[in-house]
Amino acid sequence: MIKLLILIAFLIFFSPAMAQQQACDPSYPTGEKGEKICIPPSPPDLDCQDISYRRFKVLSPDPHRFDRDKDGIGCEQD
């Protein structure tokens, strides 16, 4: 019974945080100043106009194609 209560407590308190971390695409880890950013994975396919971040680090494979010129920086132009 104690193990079940511990499991329920874990699911209630830790699952939302884990789900939020999993909802961020690892291709877009940090913003212009090194801050952690969160851009959801594809699908749906997003464009720069769909997100608020600008000039952020882009790693391969860049599923949203934010880094058109392939210099490692996404959404450089407005």
Side-chain angles (χ1 to χ4, degrees):
M1 183 69 172
I2 296 292
K3 290 181 180 179
L4 179 61
L5 291 174
I6 292 171
L7 176 61
I8 291 170
F10 177 81
L11 292 174
I12 290 171
F13 293 107
F14 294 106
S15 290
M18 289 178 177
Q20 184 177 7
Q21 288 176 353
Q22 293 173 350
C24 301
D25 193 307
S27 293
Y28 315 108
T30 57
E32 184 175 16
K33 297 176 182 157
E35 71 278 12
K36 176 98 174 98
I37 64 171
C38 184
I39 297 174
S42 187
D45 184 28
L46 300 173
D47 296 318
C48 291
Q49 66 194 21
D50 300 323
I51 62 169
S52 61
Y53 303 110
R54 295 293 175 266
R55 301 193 50 77
F56 50 88
K57 184 174 187 172
V58 176
L59 304 175
S60 186
D62 190 15
H64 293 295
R65 298 177 309 279
F66 291 135
D67 183 15
R68 299 273 181 191
D69 61 1
K70 310 247 185 276
D71 67 352
I73 306 295
C75 297
E76 295 176 80
Q77 301 174 4
D78 289 329

